[in-house]
Amino acid sequence: MTRVAAVDCGTNSIRLLIADIDTDTNADAATGQPAPRLTDVVREMRVVRLGQGVDSTGELAPEALERTFAATRDYASLIREHGVAKVRFVATSATRDASNRQVFVDGIRAILGVEPEVITGDEEAALSFAGASSVLPSRGDDPVLVVDLGGGSTEFVLGNAGGVIAARSVDVGCVRMTERHLRSDPPTPEQIAAAEADVDAAISEAARTVPLERATAIVGVAGSVTTITAHALRLPEYSPAAIHGTELDLDAVRKACTELLDMTREERAALPFMHPGRVDVIGAGGLVWRRVLERLADVTAGRITTAVASEHDILDGIALSIS
């Protein structure tokens, strides 16, 4: 048993998982390989909006960097407090795109004492699949599409019990689409149409690498998807236990997406399950998730009629990758 800490620093949020990883487990029934398991000690999430303005400026803003450094200082204290043996810090879309990312890298190293890794989209996709598949029932050889809908990018990864078959990261996400298109409250039909055109082009780009038509099921991960699921379930508060593993009809999920997109900011803020840091970007998250589900229903000729939400994602994948 080893105590590890994983940090996922995305475009909208920075998250920490401190967990005990048990490698002395039974072999996976499908692969015959050891199947490590995580036992959570601490899970934390802070919305720091590191990707503020990156889509238009190409740089990480000083105030966004300071918010991220402040959260990392808090995480460093928790890591020391809980006696962590190994730490892995991963940064994704916003940092990949930023011309001044060395400022970020130097700052994180000074605070945490480890080298932050700015990973590629393909690496992000593989970690997301590993995290989601580690806690969901295996479908054996049947390919499952895991979609990680983030703030700056969305990862499409097709895989089965044997691992990743194909993966692609594309530059659409809830923060990027909000800043680029959805500026009105609520957004106008013209803004929605422009955002949908971007999302459709990105899905087509992903489909050139990932054979979406082979998917037998779809699993959505990350905060936009889980928040949309909370809305579809009409939860009285945000409950990971109620959300994780929930399988809903595509029509119900699309309806929830549309409702969130059409609401005003004030209406979204009043929802009991809504994190304050997601209020202004969840409409764009709904737009992206709705278009992904519609496209998948089309390319699979209606074979896929439901979507699963997972609370376990790249953060779990990072923790599992620590050796």
Side-chain angles (χ1 to χ4, degrees):
M1 191 84 75
T2 303
R3 180 156 293 182
V4 301
V7 183
D8 166 36
C9 187
T11 299
N12 197 45
S13 64
I14 182 169
R15 299 181 300 152
L16 168 70
L17 170 60
I18 297 175
D20 291 327
I21 182 167
D22 183 2
T23 54
D24 186 20
T25 56
N26 294 327
D28 183 274
T31 65
Q33 300 300 312
R37 291 290 180 265
L38 298 174
T39 301
D40 287 12
V41 177
V42 173
R43 274 188 192 260
E44 291 274 338
M45 189 271 285
R46 309 281 178 86
V47 174
V48 294
R49 195 64 57 82
L50 177 61
Q52 171 193 330
V54 169
D55 187 62
S56 58
T57 68
E59 292 188 346
L60 299 168
E63 60 271 29
L65 282 165
E66 186 45 49
R67 291 192 298 267
T68 306
F69 292 157
T72 304
R73 291 185 193 100
D74 291 342
Y75 288 175
S77 295
L78 286 168
I79 288 168
R80 288 192 297 270
E81 177 186 338
H82 288 280
V84 169
K86 298 179 180 180
V87 180
R88 186 179 183 192
F89 186 112
V90 164
T92 55
S93 178
T95 315
R96 280 198 297 266
D97 294 348
S99 60
N100 62 338
R101 62 180 167 270
Q102 195 59 45
V103 177
F104 167 84
V105 169
D106 292 344
I108 296 298
R109 187 195 307 112
I111 294 167
L112 207 54
V114 300
E115 189 73 15
E117 302 171 52
V118 183
I119 62 172
T120 67
D122 285 349
E123 290 172 315
E124 185 176 358
L127 287 169
S128 294
F129 183 82
S133 61
S134 69
V135 292
L136 293 172
S138 173
R139 290 176 173 261
D141 292 334
D142 292 340
V144 175
L145 181 69
V146 172
V147 178
D148 183 347
L149 201 174
S153 66
T154 296
E155 283 66 51
F156 294 79
V157 52
L158 189 73
N160 56 22
V164 173
I165 297 169
R168 185 68 178 269
S169 177
V170 292
D171 286 338
V172 294
C174 61
V175 174
R176 196 183 295 267
M177 291 298 96
T178 299
E179 290 186 351
R180 188 181 295 178
H181 296 296
L182 307 184
R183 299 189 180 95
S184 298
D185 181 27
T188 65
E190 292 78 16
Q191 291 170 351
I192 291 172
E196 286 181 334
D198 270 7
V199 174
D200 289 345
I203 297 171
S204 294
E205 179 185 339
R208 286 195 283 272
T209 302
V210 181
L212 303 178
E213 69 281 357
R214 290 183 55 191
T216 61
I218 183 168
V219 178
V221 303
S224 283
V225 172
T226 58
T227 301
I228 291 162
T229 303
H231 182 57
L233 293 171
R234 300 298 194 261
L235 294 183
E237 61 182 3
Y238 191 92
S239 169
I243 294 165
H244 179 66
T246 294
E247 185 171 4
L248 295 173
D249 289 343
L250 295 188
D251 287 344
V253 181
R254 288 197 294 255
K255 181 174 183 287
C257 291
T258 300
E259 288 173 350
L260 290 167
L261 179 59
D262 290 343
M263 286 180 183
T264 64
R265 192 184 192 285
E266 184 179 6
E267 290 170 334
R268 293 193 299 269
L271 295 169
F273 51 79
M274 185 65 65
H275 189 286
R278 297 204 186 280
V279 171
D280 59 334
V281 296
I282 191 60
L287 182 148
V288 175
W289 190 223
R290 183 178 69 182
R291 295 304 290 168
V292 169
L293 296 179
E294 288 170 347
R295 181 66 169 270
L296 196 67
D298 285 344
V299 300
T300 61
R303 184 176 67 250
I304 291 179
T305 59
T306 61
V308 177
S310 174
E311 282 280 347
H312 297 265
D313 51 27
I314 185 174
L315 191 59
D316 301 74
I318 295 167
L320 288 165
S321 73
I322 299 172
S323 59

